[in-house]
Amino acid sequence: GIQVEQSPPDLILQEGANSTLRCNFSDSVNNLQWFHQNPWGQLINLFYIPSGTKQNGRLSATTVATERYSLLYISSSQTTDSGVYFCAVEGMDTGRRALTFGSGTRLQVQP
Amino acid sequence: DAGVIQSPRHEVTEMGQEVTLRCKPISGHDYLFWYRQTMMRGLELLIYFNNNVPIDDSGMPEDRFSAKMPNASFSTLKIQPSEPRDSAVYFCASSLDRARETQYFGPGTRLLVL
């Protein structure tokens, strides 16, 4: 099946700093989503972005489908950004409507 | 819309007991997914339905697990008998029946089997 690798696994930032999270995937995708899992365990949709660039406030994401990677940018980080960020993909060739998740990037933003 | 609704939010049970988790998808969504999150295996798909029909249950760990979707607005995931290694967070998600659509996740059920 499709493989998803996220980096870095852990990230500690000071409030106000910027960061870039990366997601590499092993095959063409129909679907790529970024999630934030907050400290209460909820999975919050950030972006649906199988290709192209999107922005939502301090967050933006870019997926280069031909090179099989996606980047999530967090600018001016806040303590509420802490949690785990997951990239999840649906492979194009599997015919299977299921997301395969990466292992996540654990972000800690310190005041 | 209320989003995907799951119940209970927390469940503590003893080994050998039957556990039933419930999910109400977003109205109008034709796909429903059950995922499980553990420390060891991360987030993984258990089973998904399209128009109430199970399509792929290859992720269901063993026969102790079963899932049903009797109608478009309700699904259950049952574990019988439960074991300590089933302790995890179980998420339900739903999406529209079109290609390239976002999956929306419920809040999850945190299960602890003692």
Side-chain angles (χ1 to χ4, degrees), chain A residues 5-100:
Chain A
E5 294 184 359
Q6 291 187 243
S7 60
D10 295 281
L11 189 57
I12 300 175
L13 299 174
Q14 292 296 313
E15 205 166 20
N18 302 328
S19 62
T20 301
L21 283 57
R22 187 176 179 103
C23 171
N24 292 332
F25 44 95
S26 60
D27 209 343
S28 300
V29 298
N30 278 324
N31 181 353
L32 188 148
Q33 294 182 231
W34 282 98
F35 296 88
H36 174 214
Q37 188 165 39
N38 63 25
W40 295 270
Q42 283 190 290
L43 280 168
I44 299 166
N45 280 300
L46 296 178
F47 294 102
Y48 167 81
I49 187 166
S51 63
T53 297
K54 291 186 178 180
Q55 181 159 6
N56 184 3
R58 297 180 297 104
L59 302 182
S60 64
T62 295
T63 297
V64 184
T66 53
E67 297 188 21
R68 298 181 182 170
Y69 73 88
S70 184
L71 302 174
L72 177 69
Y73 306 96
I74 304 174
S75 65
S76 304
S77 58
Q78 302 176 357
T79 56
T80 51
D81 295 331
S82 297
V84 183
Y85 290 80
F86 289 102
C87 169
V89 303
E90 178 186 321
M92 184 177 291
D93 295 329
T94 64
R96 190 168 178 254
R97 286 293 310 277
L99 290 174
T100 299

Side-chain angles (χ1 to χ4, degrees), chain A residues 29-31 33 35 37 40-43 45 48 50-51 86 92 95-99 101, chain B residues 31 33 35 37 43 45 48 56 58 91 95-96 98-105 107 110:
Chain A
V29 298
N30 278 324
N31 181 353
Q33 294 182 231
F35 296 88
Q37 188 165 39
W40 295 270
Q42 283 190 290
L43 280 168
N45 280 300
Y48 167 81
S51 63
F86 289 102
M92 184 177 291
R96 190 168 178 254
R97 286 293 310 277
L99 290 174
F101 282 79
Chain B
Y31 277 89
F33 307 83
Y35 292 86
Q37 185 177 30
L43 274 152
L45 178 77
Y48 75 92
D56 186 337
S58 59
F91 289 99
S95 74
L96 287 167
R98 290 199 298 265
R100 306 172 74 89
E101 280 292 340
T102 303
Q103 288 189 25
Y104 295 91
F105 280 69
R110 189 174 297 273

Side-chain angles (χ1 to χ4, degrees), chain B residues 10-54:
Chain B
H10 303 272
E11 177 81 22
V12 179
T13 191
E14 293 189 345
M15 184 174 63
Q17 296 297 307
E18 178 179 294
V19 175
T20 300
L21 312 181
R22 297 172 177 81
C23 175
K24 177 179 169 56
I26 294 172
S27 177
H29 282 192
D30 298 288
Y31 277 89
L32 183 139
F33 307 83
W34 284 100
Y35 292 86
R36 179 173 68 173
Q37 185 177 30
T38 62
M39 290 294 292
M40 292 298 294
R41 299 175 65 89
L43 274 152
E44 54 183 352
L45 178 77
L46 298 177
I47 184 171
Y48 75 92
F49 296 82
N50 179 214
N51 291 321
N52 314 337
V53 176

